[in-house]
Amino acid sequence: MAKEEEANVQAMKSLEPLNRPPLLHVTVQESLRNYIEANKLKAGDALPPETFLAQQLGVGRNSVREAIKALESIGILETRRGIGVFVKEFSFKPLLDNLAYGLQDSLRDVEELREMRRVLETGLIGKTVEMISAEDIEALRGLTEEMRRRAERNESFAAEDQQFHQLLFRCQNNRMLSALIDIFWIAFNKASNFANLDNPTPLATWRDHHEIVEAVAAKDIERARQRLDDHYRGIQQVIAKNRNT
């Protein structure tokens, strides 16, 4: 009889293992997110006091405090000492601060990020050609002249390069694009700390930027797009070379 019972037990479906419940402060975080969305709170709007939130959620104030700190760390909330907790204006800064560290040991990730930015910039350059002002064109020419001087002295002009791309698209007033350009540069420069990503042809890189400006100034969308594409192919060659070494 014992053998028959054992066989029956083995034939039955096994129990599914229990999922470990999330930590309390993680659950409180999600509740606070839902509260912000449900009440359509905007940047600068205040949250109720911790005591009220704890009572509403049926948890201790420490759990609420931990959840608020976690949401502060990712840029959703901010605490103003002596005043209260407020919804924070959306910012890419937490992503900027952390993405580069996540990419620091992977040239493949940096390469993929470069490709996404290439597609964005070549796709949006037409709008720049239509919108850019004469003042921005002159500022871009000033930057490329500084790049040329540095290239001739075999000096890095990474800061000017980053500023160039920001200025190239500034007329569009696209904050997300500006943030993505910064993300690329922080990630790429971080990658330079563990791989030799120095530019082997600085004068060629200067010339890429110079040609981009002149194409934009001439209102030649196709030439501007092609020059941008050439520029990113040069970056790709630097990354590919280091992946193979």
Side-chain angles (χ1 to χ4, degrees), residues 190-201:
K190 188 67 179 178
S192 300
N193 291 335
F194 71 91
N196 179 19
L197 298 183
D198 291 337
N199 185 356
T201 56

